[in-house]
Amino acid sequence: MREELQIRDIDSVFADFVCSRDSGNTDLLRKAATFASSAVGYGNICVDLAELFGAGEVSSAAARLRSSKMVGAPGEYRPLVLDDANRLYLHRYWKYESDLASTLLFMASDLPDVDTVILKDGLSRLFPNREERIDWQVVAAAAAVRSRFCVISGGPGTGKTTTVVKIIALLLEQAKGSRMRIGLAAPTGKAAARLKESIFKAGKELANATTVADSIPTEVSTIQRLLGVIPDSCRFRHNTENPLPFEAIVVDEASMVPLGLMAKLVAALAPGSRLILLGDRDQLASVEAGAVLGDICNTGHGFGFSSAFKAFIVGTTGCAIPESFVGSTVPVIADSIVVLQKNYRFGEDSGIGLVSAAINNDHAASVLGGMKDGATSGLTLRETPSRDVLQKNLATAVVPGFSDYLRQGSPDEVLIAFDRFRVLCALRQGTYGVEGINSLIETCLADEGIIKPDKQWYHGRPVMVMTNDYGLKLFNGDVGIALNDPESEIGLSVYFPSVNGAPRSYSPYRLPAHETVYAMTVHKSQGSEFERILLIMPPFSNQILTREIMYTGLTRARSSVELWCTDEIFTAACEKRIERRSGLRSALWG
């Protein structure tokens, strides 16, 4: 833990509070309390005393902290909690982590009764065309029926949503006509809308394969709305005392869910209910504290399944789990996690698929040459231009990308055309961040006569909603476009896509907080897909540049990526993983 990390006012106030109630060890306690609070602001759940005080001083510091009445052992109700591994927590976050780990372990080991005859029949109908010796989608489906807790991970195009729709059908068939309520949720309104659209399409395709197709739910909400937001508070209506009214809950884009929200969701599950998490374990973690999906999946480390799991899979699916995937002593959580292997979007010759896999497998340096000389299909690497030629180079890329969206005949066609191309930035602020790049793009498009940004609201202005507005049904991440509307008092309306039916229109002055969005951060792009993207990395080092940023940005594109990045920045970013301090991984995996 570095001293130069920014200390917020709230960190200092918390440290003052702790020290005011303990007259001993004031300097040491103040430092520990300050950085335990600051750590949460940087996405960590706890602080490692060895990093804070140095390896040589950690034993002495731990002993002195344990003598303070403001520092407790796990299970004690104190402002700070220090565990046996010398991880120091704010009590709230220790409680979140401890409760989440114990509940997930219990759910993973509490195997429900499964009618294997019905399951085998359902798998044969819902997965009729198995092309491989082992079909990981089939394995994931059987695993989700076998256990009350299941994670289905995989990159874009591996079929997570398609698989979970079939899992829902299998669960409904297992219910044998009894009522089974299934809740669908996502961390953001945008992700919820995408899941709803995917579930709706996939469900219709199952009409001839199962009699329960009409019972597959299509309503999706944010996790917060599912839990029941209590206005002007951080509490929810549904909790341990008032559990959610579902027998199973599916959460998409789980990598975006922070520890606190995941802990509250799991605490609100009804006894005996199921939880299925979908997400890409290699993607960026939540902007808030925790890397929950990564910790649950033990990202970066291999693991195997138990012999009991292998026997169940072989018996119900016919898939032969390779011996390399079976361990002699396996943590119980391992049988609840299936990583989909086959990518249906990126073929063997796809540069995006090749490079993203190389990044995750620590072989990023090997693909640099191919990206620069054009040998990597669909992916081009160019050095980030300097400030004096940035606008000129940007115009070359964005004018073709945005030239035709305003030529479309209807708002729906405009929205579809606009989503074919997007500029993604690693940074938010500065010349190479979305704020600077959006301004330059407006200038480039205006110079070509594509837009006329002579006032705040103009025909063609794209905006992203930054906060949830449940009354308007507009959510953080929703993208709309201002278009001429003769029926509007100001001559413009902002149109947003709708899952079913015509786009929704709003007066610009009714919108919640928003910003122009020709360019967006990689963080905000999670859960989105575009035909083509321009991915801009700054020409200087920054702590936010990691392999997760690079991987997430590249995999937002379906067909092609133009990456602006120096060799040095690319290599350094791909060698750096996001490391968030927590004890969740060790609690689950031992």
Side-chain angles (χ1 to χ4, degrees):
M1 183 64 62
R2 301 186 301 275
E3 294 284 359
E4 66 267 27
L5 290 181
Q6 183 178 355
I7 302 301
R8 304 165 299 172
D9 290 343
I10 193 173
D11 305 327
S12 300
V13 170
F14 174 72
D16 289 343
F17 163 77
V18 169
C19 291
S20 69
R21 284 157 175 77
D22 191 323
S23 57
N25 302 327
T26 303
D27 291 341
L28 180 138
L29 182 61
R30 181 179 300 280
K31 182 176 181 179
T34 299
F35 280 95
S37 176
S38 175
V40 173
Y42 282 90
N44 299 296
I45 304 305
C46 57
V47 60
D48 187 335
L49 292 191
E51 293 184 352
L52 186 57
F53 295 105
E57 301 295 327
V58 64
S59 296
S60 173
R64 292 169 63 191
L65 286 172
R66 288 190 173 97
S67 70
S68 169
K69 64 182 181 181
M70 302 303 286
V71 180
E76 295 184 320
Y77 191 67
R78 305 284 178 84
L80 294 166
V81 174
L82 182 59
D83 70 8
D84 293 339
N86 292 324
R87 291 182 290 248
L88 184 68
Y89 297 80
L90 301 183
H91 183 274
R92 176 192 298 179
Y93 286 89
W94 171 82
K95 180 70 170 170
Y96 285 153
E97 182 180 279
S98 176
D99 289 352
L100 179 62
S102 61
T103 303
L104 293 184
L105 287 173
F106 174 74
M107 293 179 68
S109 61
D110 183 29
L111 304 182
D113 292 332
V114 177
D115 189 321
T116 56
V117 174
I118 292 178
L119 176 58
K120 290 169 68 174
D121 177 62
L123 289 170
S124 66
R125 284 182 282 101
L126 294 168
F127 297 90
N129 302 313
R130 304 183 194 180
E131 302 174 358
E132 306 170 12
R133 180 168 173 264
I134 178 167
D135 188 321
W136 287 104
Q137 290 189 4
V138 178
V139 173
V145 174
R146 177 180 182 265
S147 177
R148 287 180 50 214
F149 174 62
C150 185
V151 177
I152 302 173
S153 185
T158 52
K160 296 185 293 293
T161 306
T162 301
T163 302
V164 84
V165 172
K166 296 179 181 180
I167 290 171
I168 291 172
L170 292 170
L171 292 176
L172 290 170
E173 290 179 356
Q174 287 286 314
K176 302 176 184 178
S178 299
R179 183 183 183 189
M180 186 174 194
R181 294 162 297 185
I182 299 175
L184 307 176
T188 67
K190 182 178 181 179
R194 287 185 58 83
L195 177 60
K196 179 175 181 177
E197 182 177 11
S198 298
I199 292 278
F200 180 78
K201 290 180 179 178
K204 292 183 69 175
E205 295 174 358
L206 297 184
N208 296 325
T210 177
T211 59
V212 299
D214 290 340
S215 298
I216 295 174
T218 56
E219 287 304 312
V220 185
S221 70
T222 63
I223 299 173
Q224 295 91 333
R225 194 169 191 181
L226 188 79
L227 289 170
V229 177
I230 297 177
D232 303 319
S233 91
C234 59
R235 295 179 293 113
F236 298 104
R237 289 194 299 275
H238 291 290
N239 48 42
T240 305
E241 289 74 32
N242 180 31
L244 289 159
F246 301 105
E247 282 72 49
I249 290 177
V250 176
V251 178
D252 195 17
E253 297 292 348
S255 64
M256 300 168 64
V257 184
L259 175 66
L261 186 58
M262 186 68 81
K264 291 176 181 179
L265 172 65
V266 170
L269 295 175
S273 63
R274 298 169 179 264
L275 176 64
I276 301 172
L277 302 181
L278 309 178
D280 186 346
R281 62 178 183 171
D282 296 311
Q283 209 169 268
L284 282 165
S286 164
V287 294
E288 299 178 47
V292 178
L293 188 67
D295 285 344
I296 292 174
C297 293
N298 203 22
T299 302
H301 301 80
F303 61 89
F305 300 114
S306 70
S307 56
F309 179 85
K310 176 183 177 180
F312 179 85
I313 295 301
V314 171
T316 56
T317 72
C319 294
I321 301 290
E323 286 302 318
S324 59
F325 283 85
V326 181
S328 54
T329 56
V330 177
V332 66
I333 198 73
D335 288 346
S336 291
I337 299 162
V338 180
V339 180
L340 303 183
Q341 308 288 327
K342 183 175 180 179
N343 197 300
Y344 296 88
R345 180 185 305 167
F346 304 132
E348 294 182 0
D349 61 343
S350 166
I352 300 171
L354 173 69
V355 174
S356 59
I359 290 172
N360 286 332
N361 294 326
D362 296 316
H363 300 145
S366 67
V367 297
L368 260 175
M371 288 194 291
K372 288 192 292 185
D373 63 19
T376 306
S377 174
L379 202 159
T380 305
L381 174 65
R382 293 190 171 89
E383 187 166 312
T384 307
S386 60
R387 285 178 170 85
D388 57 338
V389 295
L390 179 58
Q391 181 175 320
K392 178 182 177 181
N393 288 23
L394 196 60
T396 302
V398 302
V399 169
F402 292 122
S403 63
D404 67 343
Y405 80 100
L406 288 179
R407 298 173 184 168
Q408 308 306 311
S410 68
D412 188 44
E413 292 170 327
V414 169
L415 289 164
I416 292 172
F418 182 75
D419 263 356
R420 293 189 184 119
F421 173 74
R422 195 62 46 88
V423 179
L424 304 184
C425 302
L427 306 181
R428 176 168 180 78
Q429 298 177 327
T431 303
Y432 295 92
V434 293
E435 294 179 357
I437 295 296
N438 268 317
S439 178
L440 289 177
I441 291 175
E442 279 191 322
T443 300
C444 294
L445 300 183
D447 288 347
E448 293 295 320
I450 297 172
I451 60 172
K452 296 180 180 179
D454 51 349
K455 48 190 174 183
Q456 179 186 9
W457 287 104
Y458 56 86
H459 178 64
R461 182 192 175 195
V463 293
M464 174 183 283
V465 174
M466 307 303 290
T467 59
N468 294 334
D469 189 320
Y470 291 100
L472 293 178
K473 295 185 178 180
L474 291 174
F475 304 101
N476 187 357
D478 285 352
V479 172
I481 299 178
L483 299 172
N484 291 333
D485 181 4
E487 296 184 6
S488 168
E489 292 183 0
I490 63 171
L492 284 169
S493 289
V494 185
Y495 292 85
F496 289 84
S498 176
V499 175
N500 300 311
R504 301 163 292 155
S505 63
Y506 301 85
S507 165
Y509 302 114
R510 293 187 65 202
L511 299 185
H514 55 273
E515 60 183 29
T516 301
V517 69
Y518 295 104
M520 62 199 299
T521 62
V522 174
H523 271 95
K524 283 288 188 182
S525 74
Q526 290 187 90
S528 298
E529 297 175 3
F530 311 98
E531 284 296 323
R532 298 172 293 118
I533 65 167
L534 168 63
L535 178 58
I536 301 176
M537 298 290 157
F540 47 81
S541 61
N542 186 291
Q543 64 179 5
I544 200 174
L545 303 180
T546 62
R547 70 166 60 185
E548 290 85 358
I549 278 279
M550 199 70 71
Y551 168 82
T552 304
L554 291 174
T555 55
R556 296 312 90 199
R558 287 188 289 267
S559 61
S560 67
V561 177
E562 183 174 332
L563 170 62
W564 288 2
C565 186
T566 66
D567 292 6
E568 295 76 16
I569 292 295
F570 179 81
T571 302
C574 293
E575 290 176 349
K576 180 183 177 184
R577 277 189 179 276
I578 292 177
E579 295 184 7
R580 291 190 169 179
R581 299 290 178 264
S582 85
L584 181 60
R585 186 180 301 227
S586 62
L588 294 173
W589 290 89

